[in-house]
């Protein structure tokens, strides 16, 4: 699955957990969240597991089992979500070393590194300005 899909699934799950909390249901099962996302519960549980490891959701077993937000939705940024579920870099250089005898091959890595670093910094800053509460507000007002 692509990184952006994992982030989208995680953001959807967090927004649904927040809406359920607002409606008096602080805990939802992974099946309930998966039904909203319309994905396989196994995929959703993997995402919730990543969110749990990052401290964004909490879980409980037994009677009343389920997931809930571990922090207020106003304090969970999209950057938090990205960091929790997306281990890959936003932009990557060649997986193998390009031909160093070619002028482009020899210079492509240093030329792109600064560009990629700048783009990644802007991307992360944009995600840091958005919260799950804000995403949910946008959803409900659209």
């Amino acid at each position: 699955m692509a990184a952006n899909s994992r982030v989208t699934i995680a953001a959807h799950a967090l927004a649904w957990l927040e809406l359920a909390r607002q409606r008096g249901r602080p805990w939802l099962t992974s099946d309930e969240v998966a039904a909203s996302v319309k994905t396989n519960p196994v995929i959703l549980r993997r995402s919730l597991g990543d969110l749990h490891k990052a401290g964004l959701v909490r879980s409980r077993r037994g009677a009343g089992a389920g997931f809930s937000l571990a922090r207020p939705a106003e304090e969970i940024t999209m950057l938090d979500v990205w960091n929790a579920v997306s281990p890959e870099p936003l932009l990557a250089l060649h997986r193998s070393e390009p031909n160093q005898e070619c002028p482009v091959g020899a210079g492509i890595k240093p030329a792109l590194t600064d560009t990629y670093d700048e783009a990644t910094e802007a991307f992360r800053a944009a995600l840091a300005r958005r919260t799950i509460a804000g995403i949910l507000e946008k959803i409900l007002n659209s």
Side-chain angles (χ1 to χ4, degrees), residues 63-122:
F67 293 87
S68 69
L69 296 182
R71 308 193 311 231
E74 297 81 8
E75 296 177 12
I76 300 173
T77 69
M78 287 300 297
L79 182 58
D80 295 328
V81 177
W82 172 267
N83 288 335
V85 301
S86 185
E88 306 90 25
L90 179 61
L91 300 163
L93 296 168
H94 299 322
R95 290 187 186 267
S96 60
E97 193 66 28
N99 181 351
Q100 295 300 296
E101 294 185 26
C102 169
V104 173
I108 193 75
K109 189 174 183 179
L112 288 179
T113 298
D114 289 342
T115 301
Y116 288 0
D117 288 349
E118 185 180 332
T120 298
E121 187 178 310

